[in-house]
Amino acid sequence: SGVDWVALETGLGGRLDATNVVAPAASVIVSIGLDHQAILGDTIEKIAYEKAGIIKPGIPLILGSVPEPAARVIREVAAEQHSPVWAFGHEITWDAARKAVTTPEASFEGLEPSLQGLWQSHNLSLAVGALAAARFQLTSSAAKAGAANAYAPGRYEKKRWKGRTVILDGAHNADSAAALLSTLKSDLGPTARVVLLTNMLLGHDPGAFYAPFAGIADSAVIAPVEFHRRRDPAETVSVLKGLGVPAEAVGSVDEALARCLDLPGPEIPILVTGSFYLVGEVVRAMSGSE
Protein backbone atom coordinates (compact mmCIF):
# COMPACT_ATOMS: atom_id res chain seq x y z
CA SER A 1 0.00 0.00 0.00
CA GLY A 2 3.02 2.29 -0.14
CA VAL A 3 3.08 3.13 3.58
CA ASP A 4 6.16 4.81 5.02
CA TRP A 5 5.97 3.34 8.54
CA VAL A 6 4.36 0.21 9.99
CA ALA A 7 3.70 -0.77 13.59
CA LEU A 8 3.82 -4.55 13.18
CA GLU A 9 2.48 -6.69 16.01
CA THR A 10 4.18 -10.02 16.63
CA GLY A 11 1.72 -12.91 16.54
CA LEU A 12 2.70 -15.42 19.20
CA GLY A 13 5.91 -15.18 21.22
CA GLY A 14 8.42 -13.68 18.84
CA ARG A 15 11.47 -15.84 18.22
CA LEU A 16 9.65 -18.30 15.94
CA ASP A 17 6.79 -16.05 14.79
CA ALA A 18 6.45 -15.37 11.07
CA THR A 19 6.73 -11.60 11.62
CA ASN A 20 10.30 -12.10 12.84
CA VAL A 21 11.59 -12.07 9.24
CA VAL A 22 11.15 -8.29 9.28
CA ALA A 23 14.14 -6.02 9.94
CA PRO A 24 12.66 -3.25 12.13
CA ALA A 25 13.82 0.28 12.92
CA ALA A 26 13.11 -0.48 16.61
CA SER A 27 11.73 -3.40 18.59
CA VAL A 28 9.25 -3.09 21.46
CA ILE A 29 8.41 -5.52 24.28
CA VAL A 30 5.50 -3.98 26.20
CA SER A 31 4.78 -6.65 28.81
CA ILE A 32 5.45 -10.25 29.80
CA GLY A 33 2.91 -12.54 31.41
CA LEU A 34 2.17 -16.24 31.79
CA ASP A 35 0.17 -16.93 28.66
CA HIS A 36 0.23 -19.58 25.90
CA GLN A 37 2.39 -21.67 28.23
CA ALA A 38 1.88 -24.87 26.22
CA ILE A 39 3.72 -23.19 23.34
CA LEU A 40 6.00 -20.55 24.87
CA GLY A 41 7.08 -22.27 28.09
CA ASP A 42 5.86 -22.62 31.66
CA THR A 43 8.00 -19.95 33.34
CA ILE A 44 8.27 -16.19 32.96
CA GLU A 45 11.92 -16.60 31.95
CA LYS A 46 11.13 -19.03 29.13
CA ILE A 47 8.40 -16.76 27.80
CA ALA A 48 10.72 -13.74 28.03
CA TYR A 49 13.33 -15.60 25.97
CA GLU A 50 10.78 -16.26 23.22
CA LYS A 51 9.68 -12.62 23.25
CA ALA A 52 13.30 -11.46 23.17
CA GLY A 53 13.69 -13.25 19.86
CA ILE A 54 12.48 -10.09 18.11
CA ILE A 55 15.63 -8.21 19.18
CA LYS A 56 17.85 -7.65 16.14
CA PRO A 57 21.60 -6.91 16.07
CA GLY A 58 22.26 -3.28 16.88
CA ILE A 59 18.57 -2.32 16.70
CA PRO A 60 17.25 -0.46 19.77
CA LEU A 61 14.82 -2.24 22.10
CA ILE A 62 12.03 -0.40 23.91
CA LEU A 63 11.20 -2.29 27.11
CA GLY A 64 8.08 -1.82 29.21
CA SER A 65 7.52 -2.64 32.86
CA VAL A 66 8.13 -6.38 33.08
CA PRO A 67 8.90 -8.66 36.04
CA GLU A 68 12.56 -8.56 37.03
CA PRO A 69 13.26 -12.22 36.04
CA ALA A 70 11.94 -11.44 32.57
CA ALA A 71 13.92 -8.20 32.36
CA ARG A 72 17.15 -10.08 33.14
CA VAL A 73 16.59 -12.53 30.30
CA ILE A 74 15.68 -9.78 27.85
CA ARG A 75 18.69 -7.66 28.78
CA GLU A 76 20.99 -10.66 28.34
CA VAL A 77 19.69 -11.23 24.81
CA ALA A 78 19.96 -7.49 24.02
CA ALA A 79 23.58 -7.50 25.23
CA GLU A 80 24.38 -10.48 23.00
CA GLN A 81 22.84 -8.61 20.06
CA HIS A 82 24.62 -5.34 20.98
CA SER A 83 21.21 -3.67 21.03
CA PRO A 84 20.68 -0.58 23.21
CA VAL A 85 17.79 -0.87 25.69
CA TRP A 86 15.46 2.00 26.47
CA ALA A 87 13.43 0.84 29.48
CA PHE A 88 10.38 2.48 30.98
CA GLY A 89 11.30 4.13 34.27
CA HIS A 90 14.92 4.50 33.22
CA GLU A 91 15.72 5.82 29.74
CA ILE A 92 12.01 6.52 29.10
CA THR A 93 9.99 8.28 31.81
CA TRP A 94 6.48 9.61 32.35
CA ASP A 95 5.91 12.75 34.43
CA ALA A 96 2.25 12.79 35.47
CA ALA A 97 2.35 16.41 36.64
CA ARG A 98 3.62 17.71 33.30
CA LYS A 99 2.02 14.88 31.31
CA ALA A 100 5.40 14.50 29.72
CA VAL A 101 7.32 11.65 28.11
CA THR A 102 11.10 11.98 28.18
CA THR A 103 13.42 9.83 26.09
CA PRO A 104 17.20 9.98 25.60
CA GLU A 105 16.48 12.01 22.46
CA ALA A 106 13.78 14.50 23.49
CA SER A 107 10.95 15.43 25.86
CA PHE A 108 7.29 15.89 24.94
CA GLU A 109 4.94 17.73 27.31
CA GLY A 110 1.18 18.17 27.51
CA LEU A 111 0.31 14.68 26.27
CA GLU A 112 -3.25 13.69 27.22
CA PRO A 113 -3.86 9.96 26.67
CA SER A 114 -7.30 9.51 25.14
CA LEU A 115 -7.43 5.82 26.06
CA GLN A 116 -8.79 4.90 29.47
CA GLY A 117 -6.89 2.61 31.80
CA LEU A 118 -4.14 2.83 34.38
CA TRP A 119 -1.53 1.54 31.93
CA GLN A 120 -2.17 4.04 29.15
CA SER A 121 0.51 6.53 30.23
CA HIS A 122 2.98 3.62 30.28
CA ASN A 123 1.90 2.49 26.80
CA LEU A 124 1.96 6.04 25.44
CA SER A 125 5.49 6.47 26.78
CA LEU A 126 6.64 3.31 24.99
CA ALA A 127 5.03 4.45 21.73
CA VAL A 128 6.79 7.81 21.89
CA GLY A 129 10.05 6.08 22.86
CA ALA A 130 9.77 3.67 19.94
CA LEU A 131 9.31 6.52 17.48
CA ALA A 132 12.28 8.37 18.92
CA ALA A 133 14.50 5.26 18.87
CA ALA A 134 13.47 4.57 15.27
CA ARG A 135 14.61 8.10 14.33
CA PHE A 136 11.10 9.14 13.37
CA GLN A 137 10.92 12.93 13.25
CA LEU A 138 8.22 13.36 15.90
CA THR A 139 7.10 16.93 16.53
CA SER A 140 5.52 18.11 19.76
CA SER A 141 2.22 18.88 18.01
CA ALA A 142 2.15 15.43 16.39
CA ALA A 143 2.81 13.74 19.74
CA LYS A 144 -0.07 15.67 21.32
CA ALA A 145 -2.40 14.83 18.43
CA GLY A 146 -1.44 11.17 18.50
CA ALA A 147 -2.05 10.88 22.25
CA ALA A 148 -5.38 12.73 22.03
CA ASN A 149 -6.72 10.80 19.04
CA ALA A 150 -5.52 7.26 19.73
CA TYR A 151 -8.36 4.76 19.54
CA ALA A 152 -8.25 1.08 20.48
CA PRO A 153 -11.56 -0.70 19.85
CA GLY A 154 -12.39 -3.11 22.64
CA ARG A 155 -9.87 -1.74 25.10
CA TYR A 156 -11.90 -0.39 28.02
CA GLU A 157 -14.47 1.00 25.61
CA LYS A 158 -17.76 2.20 27.15
CA LYS A 159 -21.04 2.29 25.26
CA ARG A 160 -24.68 2.96 26.15
CA TRP A 161 -27.05 0.32 24.81
CA LYS A 162 -30.76 -0.07 25.63
CA GLY A 163 -30.39 1.90 28.85
CA ARG A 164 -27.34 -0.02 30.11
CA THR A 165 -23.66 0.83 30.25
CA VAL A 166 -21.65 -1.79 28.39
CA ILE A 167 -17.89 -1.94 29.00
CA LEU A 168 -15.90 -3.76 26.31
CA ASP A 169 -12.39 -5.02 27.02
CA GLY A 170 -10.50 -7.77 25.21
CA ALA A 171 -8.46 -8.80 28.25
CA HIS A 172 -7.75 -12.55 28.11
CA ASN A 173 -4.99 -13.45 30.58
CA ALA A 174 -4.31 -13.01 34.28
CA ASP A 175 -2.19 -9.86 33.92
CA SER A 176 -4.71 -8.08 31.72
CA ALA A 177 -7.52 -9.16 34.06
CA ALA A 178 -5.73 -7.53 37.01
CA ALA A 179 -5.18 -4.35 34.97
CA LEU A 180 -8.83 -4.32 33.91
CA LEU A 181 -10.00 -4.73 37.50
CA SER A 182 -7.83 -1.79 38.59
CA THR A 183 -9.24 0.36 35.81
CA LEU A 184 -12.82 -0.64 36.69
CA LYS A 185 -12.35 0.33 40.33
CA SER A 186 -10.64 3.58 39.38
CA ASP A 187 -13.47 4.44 36.99
CA LEU A 188 -16.53 3.09 38.83
CA GLY A 189 -15.37 3.17 42.44
CA PRO A 190 -14.00 0.55 44.84
CA THR A 191 -17.44 -1.03 45.39
CA ALA A 192 -18.20 -1.44 41.68
CA ARG A 193 -20.39 -4.36 40.62
CA VAL A 194 -20.77 -5.80 37.11
CA VAL A 195 -22.63 -8.44 35.15
CA LEU A 196 -20.15 -10.49 33.11
CA LEU A 197 -20.84 -11.37 29.49
CA THR A 198 -17.87 -13.55 28.73
CA ASN A 199 -16.05 -16.58 27.43
CA MET A 200 -12.47 -17.41 26.50
CA LEU A 201 -10.59 -19.26 23.81
CA LEU A 202 -8.63 -22.43 24.44
CA GLY A 203 -4.96 -21.82 25.23
CA HIS A 204 -5.62 -19.42 28.11
CA ASP A 205 -6.10 -20.17 31.81
CA PRO A 206 -9.72 -19.33 32.72
CA GLY A 207 -9.22 -19.89 36.47
CA ALA A 208 -6.42 -17.32 36.66
CA PHE A 209 -8.28 -14.91 34.39
CA TYR A 210 -11.62 -14.92 36.20
CA ALA A 211 -10.30 -14.99 39.78
CA PRO A 212 -9.89 -11.17 40.00
CA PHE A 213 -13.53 -10.65 38.97
CA ALA A 214 -15.01 -13.02 41.56
CA GLY A 215 -15.39 -10.17 44.02
CA ILE A 216 -17.22 -7.77 41.68
CA ALA A 217 -19.34 -10.01 39.41
CA ASP A 218 -22.96 -10.37 40.53
CA SER A 219 -23.55 -12.94 37.80
CA ALA A 220 -22.14 -14.18 34.50
CA VAL A 221 -23.64 -15.10 31.13
CA ILE A 222 -21.40 -17.30 28.98
CA ALA A 223 -21.71 -17.05 25.21
CA PRO A 224 -20.12 -19.20 22.50
CA VAL A 225 -17.29 -17.57 20.51
CA GLU A 226 -17.22 -18.25 16.78
CA PHE A 227 -13.57 -19.19 16.44
CA HIS A 228 -11.72 -22.45 15.82
CA ARG A 229 -10.17 -22.40 19.33
CA ARG A 230 -13.51 -21.75 21.02
CA ARG A 231 -14.02 -23.00 24.56
CA ASP A 232 -17.19 -24.88 25.46
CA PRO A 233 -19.36 -22.41 27.43
CA ALA A 234 -20.11 -25.20 29.93
CA GLU A 235 -16.40 -25.30 30.87
CA THR A 236 -16.39 -21.58 31.59
CA VAL A 237 -19.60 -21.87 33.62
CA SER A 238 -17.92 -24.54 35.75
CA VAL A 239 -14.85 -22.35 36.36
CA LEU A 240 -16.92 -19.32 37.38
CA LYS A 241 -19.21 -21.33 39.65
CA GLY A 242 -16.07 -22.73 41.29
CA LEU A 243 -15.08 -19.13 42.05
CA GLY A 244 -18.49 -18.44 43.58
CA VAL A 245 -19.95 -16.48 40.64
CA PRO A 246 -23.48 -17.47 39.52
CA ALA A 247 -23.06 -18.38 35.85
CA GLU A 248 -25.18 -19.72 33.01
CA ALA A 249 -24.51 -20.66 29.39
CA VAL A 250 -26.62 -19.52 26.44
CA GLY A 251 -26.62 -20.48 22.79
CA SER A 252 -25.58 -17.23 21.11
CA VAL A 253 -24.27 -13.72 21.65
CA ASP A 254 -27.74 -12.31 20.94
CA GLU A 255 -29.19 -14.52 23.69
CA ALA A 256 -26.41 -13.44 26.03
CA LEU A 257 -27.16 -9.76 25.53
CA ALA A 258 -30.88 -10.32 26.04
CA ARG A 259 -30.22 -12.30 29.21
CA CYS A 260 -27.92 -9.58 30.58
CA LEU A 261 -30.72 -7.05 30.17
CA ASP A 262 -32.90 -9.24 32.41
CA LEU A 263 -30.28 -9.30 35.16
CA PRO A 264 -29.76 -6.59 37.86
CA GLY A 265 -30.92 -3.03 37.24
CA PRO A 266 -29.60 -0.41 34.82
CA GLU A 267 -27.10 0.97 37.32
CA ILE A 268 -24.97 -2.19 37.04
CA PRO A 269 -22.73 -2.22 33.93
CA ILE A 270 -22.40 -5.20 31.61
CA LEU A 271 -18.72 -6.11 31.30
CA VAL A 272 -17.82 -7.93 28.08
CA THR A 273 -14.39 -9.49 28.40
CA GLY A 274 -12.30 -12.64 27.96
CA SER A 275 -11.69 -12.46 24.20
CA PHE A 276 -11.34 -9.80 21.52
CA TYR A 277 -13.26 -12.15 19.23
CA LEU A 278 -16.19 -12.15 21.66
CA VAL A 279 -16.00 -8.35 22.01
CA GLY A 280 -16.22 -8.02 18.23
CA GLU A 281 -19.26 -10.30 18.06
CA VAL A 282 -20.99 -8.37 20.84
CA VAL A 283 -20.37 -5.02 19.12
CA ARG A 284 -21.87 -6.37 15.89
CA ALA A 285 -24.88 -7.78 17.74
CA MET A 286 -25.43 -4.48 19.58
CA SER A 287 -25.20 -2.54 16.31
CA GLY A 288 -27.84 -4.78 14.76
CA SER A 289 -30.31 -4.33 17.62
CA GLU A 290 -30.16 -0.68 18.66
Side-chain angles (χ1 to χ4, degrees), residues 74-193:
I74 292 168
R75 287 185 179 277
E76 286 172 4
V77 174
E80 292 169 0
Q81 298 282 25
H82 303 288
S83 297
V85 177
W86 289 9
F88 181 78
H90 298 278
E91 292 80 8
I92 300 172
T93 60
W94 167 256
D95 185 323
R98 296 187 297 124
K99 299 188 180 299
V101 176
T102 300
T103 77
E105 302 293 329
S107 185
F108 302 88
E109 296 190 17
L111 306 186
E112 295 277 0
S114 62
L115 300 175
Q116 294 191 59
L118 300 180
W119 281 91
Q120 293 311 325
S121 56
H122 167 271
N123 297 345
L124 172 61
S125 300
L126 298 185
V128 171
L131 291 170
R135 303 297 184 214
F136 181 89
Q137 298 302 307
L138 183 65
T139 64
S140 178
S141 60
K144 289 179 180 178
N149 296 317
Y151 173 55
R155 180 57 78 202
Y156 207 81
E157 186 178 8
K158 295 171 75 172
K159 294 179 177 288
R160 288 293 292 177
W161 179 76
K162 295 191 175 182
R164 294 291 287 272
T165 296
V166 180
I167 300 172
L168 305 156
D169 194 287
H172 53 268
N173 59 32
D175 288 346
S176 57
L180 173 55
L181 181 64
S182 295
T183 300
L184 279 166
K185 290 189 172 182
S186 175
D187 181 28
L188 305 177
T191 60
R193 308 296 299 175

Side-chain angles (χ1 to χ4, degrees), residues 5-289:
W5 289 85
V6 175
L8 181 66
E9 182 182 15
T10 299
L12 179 63
R15 186 173 65 92
L16 300 179
D17 191 77
T19 55
N20 209 23
V21 300
V22 170
S27 301
V28 186
I29 297 176
V30 179
S31 61
I32 301 282
L34 289 172
D35 203 8
H36 297 292
Q37 289 147 275
I39 298 171
L40 301 181
D42 57 2
T43 68
I44 205 79
E45 292 89 347
K46 289 178 181 177
I47 294 173
Y49 178 74
E50 295 299 322
K51 297 261 189 175
I54 67 170
I55 301 171
K56 299 296 194 300
I59 300 300
L61 170 70
I62 310 304
L63 180 61
S65 291
V66 302
E68 185 52 38
R72 283 197 299 270
V73 171
I74 292 168
R75 287 185 179 277
E76 286 172 4
V77 174
E80 292 169 0
Q81 298 282 25
H82 303 288
S83 297
V85 177
W86 289 9
F88 181 78
H90 298 278
E91 292 80 8
I92 300 172
T93 60
W94 167 256
D95 185 323
R98 296 187 297 124
K99 299 188 180 299
V101 176
T102 300
T103 77
E105 302 293 329
S107 185
F108 302 88
E109 296 190 17
L111 306 186
E112 295 277 0
S114 62
L115 300 175
Q116 294 191 59
L118 300 180
W119 281 91
Q120 293 311 325
S121 56
H122 167 271
N123 297 345
L124 172 61
S125 300
L126 298 185
V128 171
L131 291 170
R135 303 297 184 214
F136 181 89
Q137 298 302 307
L138 183 65
T139 64
S140 178
S141 60
K144 289 179 180 178
N149 296 317
Y151 173 55
R155 180 57 78 202
Y156 207 81
E157 186 178 8
K158 295 171 75 172
K159 294 179 177 288
R160 288 293 292 177
W161 179 76
K162 295 191 175 182
R164 294 291 287 272
T165 296
V166 180
I167 300 172
L168 305 156
D169 194 287
H172 53 268
N173 59 32
D175 288 346
S176 57
L180 173 55
L181 181 64
S182 295
T183 300
L184 279 166
K185 290 189 172 182
S186 175
D187 181 28
L188 305 177
T191 60
R193 308 296 299 175
V194 299
V195 171
L196 278 175
L197 194 172
T198 188
N199 203 355
M200 303 189 73
L201 301 183
L202 297 174
H204 303 290
D205 182 349
F209 176 78
Y210 288 117
F213 301 113
I216 70 164
D218 281 350
S219 54
V221 180
I222 316 305
V225 182
E226 293 304 317
F227 192 69
H228 67 275
R229 287 193 290 113
R230 57 185 170 270
R231 184 182 296 276
D232 186 340
E235 294 179 17
T236 305
V237 167
S238 179
V239 170
L240 282 160
K241 284 185 174 179
L243 293 168
V245 179
E248 59 185 284
V250 295
S252 69
V253 165
D254 286 321
E255 287 181 50
L257 281 166
R259 179 63 181 134
C260 286
L261 290 179
D262 290 338
L263 291 169
E267 73 282 358
I268 298 182
I270 299 168
L271 173 63
V272 183
T273 191
S275 164
F276 272 112
Y277 296 98
L278 175 63
V279 167
E281 290 182 33
V282 169
V283 169
R284 285 189 288 274
M286 288 167 56
S287 299
S289 58

